[in-house]
Amino acid sequence: MKVALIHNAKFPVAGYGGTERLVWWLARGLHERGAQVVLACHPESNCPYAKIVPFNEAQNLALECDVLHFFNTPESTPSRPHLVTIGGNGKVGEKYSINTVFVSQNHAYRHGASAFVHNGVDPDDYIFESQKSGYLTFLAKASWSVKNVKGAIKVARATGKDLHIMGGNRPFLSRAKGIFWEGMVDGRLKAQWLAKSSGLLFPVLWHEPFGIAVVEALVSGTPVLCTPFGSLQELVNSEVGKICLSYAEMREAVSHLGSYSPERCRDWALSKFHYLQMTDKYLSYYERVLRGETLNRILPQVTAPTGQLLDFY
């Protein structure tokens, strides 16, 4: 099978690059499963798992591949077998391609769809550590109010724990007692912070489409305390963290972080969110579109608001 992965970005990934990392891991997985991979992207890219072709909206539609896999909805519908992965939340009434794949069951449900593939990570990009250092971590775009860095700070201060924040920069707060803004760290440094952390705080206030930071923490052997919104009940169970219904519950859960097994956290993540599992699910969808099937019964569209949620106190 010859598959085109179409995403207008530069590879290898520089910086955080959530979607870019997933495309990269999928390219690797498809290569390892014996597929030929074409990566339509920034022309200065390189990838050992794929042939690079420059991203061009019109030309990408005509790529001579068995399946075209887009990571943004194309401007026009291709005539050949294709699917589209959407990783974010849209606006109420926004419609998508009939062959759109979402990144969690909840994400699909909220769009009136059924097709979804959980994101998968490459464990080789992370560090597993069974001995923790006592601090807490926050990993998200801290500038987005729905990611709720203020809530994470609130919990950390109430429990007397140091909090290392990755994904934002507040120089004037960099020396605030117990709060350490590490900036937009990535790669090995991010892996080191996650591996030594006693717990990831993920108190989001919106319906999270997936939450790759949660899986990154779990692969590192780090339990997760999070809110119940969006996909998070698919990612976290009682053996690897806690779904918290209030700040009080999250504060209480911090005192029990030592009871979670780092090995169990990693095993859970690798059993559910490995890049090869992601690859195999996509391969099954490729086979369906090659048979002429559509992946959803009706056109997916956003059915409810996904903005800031206020039912977390």
Side-chain angles (χ1 to χ4, degrees):
M1 184 184 296
K2 190 173 183 180
V3 180
L5 304 180
I6 302 170
H7 188 55
N8 191 16
K10 187 176 180 180
F11 297 90
V13 184
Y16 181 71
T19 299
E20 289 76 17
R21 290 192 182 281
L22 297 171
V23 174
W24 182 267
W25 289 328
L26 180 57
R28 177 178 177 176
L30 290 170
H31 173 76
E32 291 178 0
R33 291 303 196 222
Q36 291 180 272
V37 184
V38 173
L39 184 54
C41 57
H42 191 285
E44 295 180 7
S45 299
N46 64 80
C47 177
Y49 321 118
K51 175 184 177 181
I52 300 295
V53 300
F55 179 91
N56 179 284
E57 184 73 38
Q59 294 176 12
N60 294 157
L61 298 175
L63 286 171
E64 294 184 1
C65 295
D66 298 310
V67 177
L68 306 181
H69 186 166
F70 299 86
F71 291 84
N72 288 291
T73 303
E75 293 180 2
S76 57
T77 302
S79 59
R80 62 184 61 213
H82 68 281
L83 55 79
V84 182
T85 294
I86 294 295
N89 287 324
K91 298 178 181 179
V92 174
E94 185 175 352
K95 294 183 178 180
Y96 298 88
S97 163
I98 193 70
N99 284 343
T100 295
V101 177
F102 297 90
V103 292
S104 68
Q105 186 173 27
N106 176 274
H107 193 212
Y109 174 78
R110 290 187 289 103
H111 291 76
S114 58
F116 75 94
V117 176
H118 282 141
N119 293 330
V121 305
D122 183 348
D124 289 344
D125 287 356
Y126 301 92
I127 301 168
F128 172 75
E129 180 59 69
S130 59
Q131 298 299 315
K132 304 301 182 179
S133 294
Y135 61 79
L136 304 173
T137 44
F138 173 92
L139 174 60
K141 293 181 179 179
S143 61
W144 290 12
S145 62
V146 294
K147 296 295 187 176
N148 196 19
V149 68
K150 291 182 179 179
I153 293 172
K154 178 179 178 179
V155 170
R157 284 182 166 160
T159 57
K161 298 288 186 180
D162 287 349
L163 176 67
H164 291 269
I165 298 170
M166 297 173 281
N169 188 19
R170 298 290 189 277
F172 58 91
L173 286 177
S174 61
R175 296 184 180 180
K177 184 177 180 180
I179 308 301
F180 304 92
W181 294 81
E182 305 301 341
M184 298 296 288
V185 301
D186 201 42
R188 201 66 177 173
L189 184 56
K190 178 180 71 172
Q192 289 169 351
W193 281 119
L194 286 174
K196 282 292 189 178
S197 172
S198 291
L200 177 77
L201 301 184
F202 203 73
V204 295
L205 297 175
W206 75 334
H207 287 304
E208 190 71 32
F210 182 74
I212 194 69
V214 170
V215 175
E216 292 179 309
L218 294 174
V219 167
S220 308
T222 299
V224 176
L225 306 180
C226 61
T227 50
F229 305 128
S231 66
L232 295 175
Q233 294 186 63
E234 298 171 47
L235 308 188
V236 177
N237 65 21
S238 60
E239 294 186 339
V240 301
K242 186 173 179 60
I243 303 289
C244 303
L245 304 181
S246 67
Y247 286 117
E249 193 171 345
M250 190 169 287
R251 291 193 299 269
E252 172 64 21
V254 168
S255 64
H256 300 289
L257 284 171
S259 66
Y260 296 103
S261 163
E263 291 77 13
R264 180 56 185 152
C265 290
R266 183 174 174 84
D267 289 347
W268 162 257
L270 294 183
S271 73
K272 299 289 185 180
F273 312 112
H274 192 286
Y275 74 94
L276 286 176
Q277 289 176 303
M278 172 179 68
T279 300
D280 290 342
K281 185 72 178 286
Y282 275 122
L283 282 168
S284 71
Y285 280 141
Y286 297 161
E287 291 169 357
R288 286 180 58 183
V289 298
L290 282 168
R291 293 195 297 266
E293 299 178 28
T294 56
L295 300 185
N296 296 291
R297 185 175 58 84
I298 59 175
L299 281 178
Q301 62 179 312
V302 181
T303 56
T306 56
Q308 183 146 335
L309 302 169
L310 300 178
D311 50 343
F312 189 76
Y313 304 96

